[in-house]
Amino acid sequence: MIKFLDLQKITQNYSLEIKEAINRVVNSGWYLQGEENKKFELSYSRYIGTNHCIGVANGLDALRLIMKAYLEMGIMQEGDEIIVPANTYIASILAITDNRLVPVLVEPDIDTFNIDDSKIESVITKRTKAIMTVHLYGRCAYTERIAKICKDYNLKLIEDNAQAHGCMFNEKKTGSLGDAAGHSFYPGKNLGAFGDAGAITTNDPILADMIRGLANYGSHVKYVFAYQGLNSRLDEIQAAVLNVKLKYLDKDTDSRRSVANYYLNNINNINITMPKVKDWKAHVFHLFTILTPQRDKLQKYLAEKNVQTLIHYPIPPHKQECYKEMNYKIFKITEQIHNEILSLPMSPVLEENEMRIICDLVNGFKD
């Protein structure tokens, strides 16, 4: 079986360092808000290129806390609107609605799967307060046009950087391009922990201080609560694991790009739409996604040949049961993507013989 993502094999590359790091935490007797967390926050903020990083419990909380902080600061009010791509993972939408804000969905560009910046201005209203860009599947979603829209309409730019650690726009990393960014370190991410983990990066010291308090029950001083906050803190073991893996992130990204390059050079089935890559620094290939109207048949065919694939994602947010009361319109491009997308095996440990087998099978597929 060629696994979609062999986490065990990935972990083996750093197993000794990770075991030492975990043992260090266990032996320290300090399991929350300790030295490992401080080290990670400093290292990751330097890596991303921001002045502040706050470790939190997961990627969803990272986005929730950014908007919760803006609400507390009076920059947003309940009922305000956040523009967000229609084809994102549901966490992006949940973070908005959990704060009683309104997600305004915009179709993606079919070539990039990222928000179509030509369709943003038409949905801006007096209640619009922010644009959330989602660097989906590891591709940079930021554009100069989006930056200009934010400036012209005085909107906050929030980055969902859950899938794009190390991705670049020109010489800056995603996660440093907007006013604030949420990051996920779920185990399957390019920078993955051993459980749920996340972070927020920003250059805004007031926002960072507010988020740090909100993530600690709403408290900056023990047993004194200025806000109705959350319990969302990055634990020491996850921080220790991330401190090890962060050192190898760029090397692993190069390996992912090599896998993507192999696929692009060797898959030539005319019934399959391949990703278009113009700037390799602007894509870290969290996923390698293809489109085909025969998606389900192709997935079944590959499974029968012992190649594991996944669908990211089978049902778009606006068609989920939890949002049925919003009566969203049809999003034609979004629904096409969700009906046709298939993710091929992608990881820094995928071997060339495995890539060759995958390409040969995909090329030989006939509906």
Side-chain angles (χ1 to χ4, degrees):
M1 167 69 73
I2 299 177
K3 294 182 179 181
F4 176 77
L5 178 65
D6 194 336
L7 284 177
Q8 188 175 26
K9 190 173 181 180
I10 291 172
T11 302
Q12 286 173 352
N13 287 336
Y14 331 112
S15 61
L16 290 178
E17 286 185 75
I18 288 173
K19 287 175 183 177
E20 289 174 1
I22 291 174
N23 285 337
R24 186 168 62 246
V25 173
V26 172
N27 293 332
S28 74
W30 195 291
Y31 307 128
L32 273 174
Q33 304 291 283
E35 293 303 315
E36 295 291 342
N37 186 58
K38 291 177 184 176
K39 179 182 176 182
F40 177 72
E41 289 182 343
L42 179 60
S43 297
Y44 195 63
S45 65
R46 287 175 174 170
Y47 178 81
I48 294 297
T50 57
N51 294 328
H52 305 279
C53 172
I54 304 99
V56 295
N58 54 69
L60 172 56
D61 277 3
L63 296 173
R64 290 170 69 203
L65 283 159
I66 291 168
M67 283 171 281
K68 190 172 180 64
Y70 281 137
L71 286 163
E72 289 287 354
M73 294 164 69
I75 293 171
M76 296 179 185
Q77 297 179 0
E78 290 186 9
D80 282 343
E81 297 171 351
I82 311 295
I83 294 171
V84 63
N87 63 314
T88 185
Y89 181 57
I90 199 167
S92 310
I93 314 296
L94 287 171
I96 297 169
T97 58
D98 187 63
N99 281 292
R100 297 185 181 180
L101 299 165
V102 179
V104 177
L105 307 186
V106 172
E107 286 269 51
D109 182 323
I110 190 65
D111 290 333
T112 67
F113 303 147
N114 284 330
I115 193 167
D116 187 338
D117 61 8
S118 71
K119 297 178 179 177
I120 291 175
E121 282 190 272
S122 65
V123 299
I124 293 175
T125 71
K126 292 181 180 179
R127 298 307 301 267
T128 306
K129 290 296 188 292
I131 299 171
M132 183 187 291
T133 55
V134 182
H135 306 298
L136 198 65
Y137 308 144
R139 187 195 294 265
C140 178
Y142 179 90
T143 67
E144 292 179 351
R145 184 172 188 171
I146 290 174
K148 186 176 187 303
I149 291 170
C150 287
K151 183 178 179 180
D152 291 347
Y153 291 89
N154 192 29
L155 305 178
K156 294 296 182 183
L157 180 57
I158 301 168
E159 296 177 77
D160 182 339
N161 201 51
Q163 301 183 359
H165 316 127
C167 186
M168 304 286 288
F169 177 82
N170 294 335
E171 297 304 313
K172 295 184 70 175
K173 286 191 172 72
T174 56
S176 70
L177 301 168
D179 295 282
H183 308 253
S184 169
F185 308 119
Y186 177 79
K189 304 296 188 189
N190 293 27
L191 178 61
F194 277 10
D196 280 319
I200 296 154
T201 54
T202 182
N203 283 317
D204 184 338
I206 297 173
L207 179 67
D209 186 63
M210 175 67 75
I211 288 170
R212 198 173 289 282
L214 286 170
N216 187 40
Y217 295 95
S219 172
H220 286 104
V221 179
K222 195 167 186 176
Y223 301 134
V224 178
F225 304 96
Y227 318 103
Q228 296 178 28
L230 307 174
N231 173 22
S232 184
R233 298 172 293 191
L234 178 63
D235 74 66
E236 285 289 281
I237 286 180
Q238 303 307 337
V241 171
L242 291 168
N243 280 325
V244 172
K245 296 181 76 174
L246 180 58
K247 296 186 296 182
Y248 302 100
L249 177 56
D250 287 343
K251 177 177 175 292
D252 285 348
T253 298
D254 287 341
S255 297
R256 286 176 176 272
R257 288 179 177 139
S258 294
V259 173
N261 189 52
Y262 190 97
Y263 283 153
L264 289 170
N265 286 329
N266 290 280
I267 294 177
N268 50 36
N269 189 319
I270 61 172
N271 297 311
I272 289 172
T273 302
M274 300 287 284
K276 297 175 176 63
V277 183
K278 295 181 180 179
D279 181 356
W280 284 85
K281 288 185 177 181
H283 206 322
V284 294
F285 292 98
H286 172 58
L287 299 174
F288 188 93
T289 53
I290 60 175
L291 293 178
T292 173
Q294 302 299 320
R295 187 266 310 282
D296 294 342
K297 288 183 178 179
L298 175 58
Q299 184 177 44
K300 182 180 178 183
Y301 164 77
L302 291 173
E304 290 170 348
K305 302 296 184 180
N306 293 315
V307 174
Q308 186 181 41
T309 60
L310 293 178
I311 298 171
H312 295 89
Y313 303 96
I315 305 172
H318 70 279
K319 286 199 162 186
Q320 297 287 351
E321 179 72 15
C322 61
Y323 288 124
K324 64 180 181 180
E325 76 282 356
M326 292 192 177
N327 295 316
Y328 281 116
K329 66 178 184 180
I330 293 173
F331 292 94
K332 186 177 178 180
I333 297 172
T334 292
E335 291 173 26
Q336 178 191 347
I337 291 170
H338 285 259
N339 287 332
E340 296 185 5
I341 199 160
L342 187 67
S343 298
L344 299 181
M346 167 56 72
S347 82
V349 296
L350 201 64
E351 298 177 1
E352 186 170 345
N353 68 304
E354 294 175 318
M355 290 183 267
R356 185 178 64 253
I357 291 169
I358 293 164
C359 292
D360 288 346
L361 288 171
V362 172
N363 287 335
F365 172 73
K366 296 179 178 59
D367 60 49

